[in-house]
Amino acid sequence: AKKVFHACDLARESQTPVFIYGASQVGKTEALKQYCLENNHGRTVLVELEAVNGLRGLLQAVAEKLGISPNANTPDLINRIKKAVTSDMVIILDEVHLLANVYRKGSFFACMETVRRVFIDHAKCGLVLTFTHLGFKKAEDEKKRELEQIFRRGVHRINLGDRPTVSDVSAIAAAWGLELPARSEEIVIKFAKGELREKPMEMLGQLSREQGLKAIVERLRYGSKLAAGKGTDLTWEDVIMGNALINKNATAPDHGWAN
């Protein structure tokens, strides 16, 4: 979140595009939402691009966030946005790589070129563009062709890494009242028909690497639910049980027809 805040501040100060990229589920969007809450006053606009389709869809999404009517053709939308955006603003386009997921390849380049002309060349405002690692690499591969102009203007690039950091997970665990255990610590949960052995740090490391923060937070939530059912405080034993139950739910049942 600190790196995301720094990226947005750089965009505001330099009035240039700043690229943020990192793995999915490392907290990019949540940090951007918080930045807007703390630095808004109508000057910071976050546009999430999950359901956008093509250039007109992009412009309509931006128009709605700016509080202007999205009901217009493409040239009119561009003119309305130009009038609404000022140089002291920061426009954040989240998940830009999704603009490439359209049936026509040229649509992505049209979107990026329009973003450059409207926000960089005309408004000269701060601009933040977020990507996943893979999405950013694909965009960079086009840098020497269609996207050269916008990439040359983007001096600042913030790499959030390929997974949540230990300090990220530690801070989130602390919010649930837990301290990270030692890496070698193993927890054993005994049952009538066996036992469950798990090293919490290994479990968290695997979740960080393969799934991201959402998976970790859900284990904490599930463990908290189990602890509440027992009338106890949350422990790593509860989190491990939550993890085991989530994994069990993803396992196909024995259909019985082979017997």
Side-chain angles (χ1 to χ4, degrees), residues 52-212:
V52 168
N53 184 20
L55 176 57
R56 188 162 182 266
L58 166 65
L59 294 172
Q60 288 177 320
V62 173
E64 288 180 354
K65 289 294 185 177
L66 291 171
I68 58 181
S69 174
N71 300 317
N73 58 36
T74 297
D76 285 344
L77 282 170
I78 291 174
N79 287 331
R80 290 178 185 180
I81 291 170
K82 283 182 175 180
K83 292 177 182 177
V85 178
T86 56
S87 61
D88 61 339
M89 297 176 70
V90 173
I91 305 297
I92 304 169
L93 302 181
D94 191 27
E95 308 281 14
V96 173
H97 54 278
L98 295 179
L99 293 174
N101 295 340
V102 294
Y103 64 92
R104 191 166 56 87
K105 182 180 180 182
S107 178
F108 177 63
F109 303 125
C111 289
M112 296 299 284
E113 179 64 11
T114 301
V115 165
R116 179 187 66 79
R117 288 191 292 108
V118 172
F119 299 117
I120 302 173
D121 294 349
H122 176 79
K124 294 181 172 58
C125 65
L127 178 66
V128 176
L129 306 171
T130 83
F131 299 80
T132 60
H133 264 302
L134 182 59
F136 187 71
K137 183 180 184 304
K138 287 182 178 179
E140 271 210 309
D141 289 343
E142 301 291 341
K143 181 172 65 174
K144 294 181 180 179
R145 298 193 290 273
E146 287 88 347
L147 302 181
E148 181 179 17
Q149 293 195 62
I150 191 168
F151 269 89
R152 281 201 168 190
R153 286 164 170 78
V155 176
H156 300 290
R157 300 171 187 206
I158 309 299
N159 187 341
L160 300 181
D162 65 348
R163 70 196 71 180
T165 64
V166 172
S167 59
D168 290 337
V169 175
S170 177
I172 291 171
W176 289 82
L178 295 176
E179 289 186 11
L180 290 187
R183 291 185 181 274
S184 60
E185 181 177 339
E186 183 177 61
I187 292 177
V188 180
I189 303 173
K190 295 186 178 294
F191 305 99
K193 296 183 179 180
E195 63 183 25
L196 172 64
R197 292 177 174 270
E198 185 75 78
K199 291 183 177 181
M201 285 298 285
E202 285 189 4
M203 177 189 74
L204 293 171
Q206 182 178 3
L207 290 171
S208 293
R209 182 175 65 254
E210 297 177 358
Q211 299 184 49

Side-chain angles (χ1 to χ4, degrees), residues 238-256:
D238 300 312
V239 178
I240 288 170
M241 279 299 303
N243 179 62
L245 290 171
I246 290 172
N247 292 339
K248 182 180 178 181
N249 290 337
T251 303
D254 180 3
H255 50 67

Side-chain angles (χ1 to χ4, degrees), residues 210-221:
E210 297 177 358
Q211 299 184 49
L213 285 180
K214 178 68 73 175
I216 292 173
V217 172
E218 181 58 16
R219 265 71 176 180
L220 290 165
R221 185 203 65 80

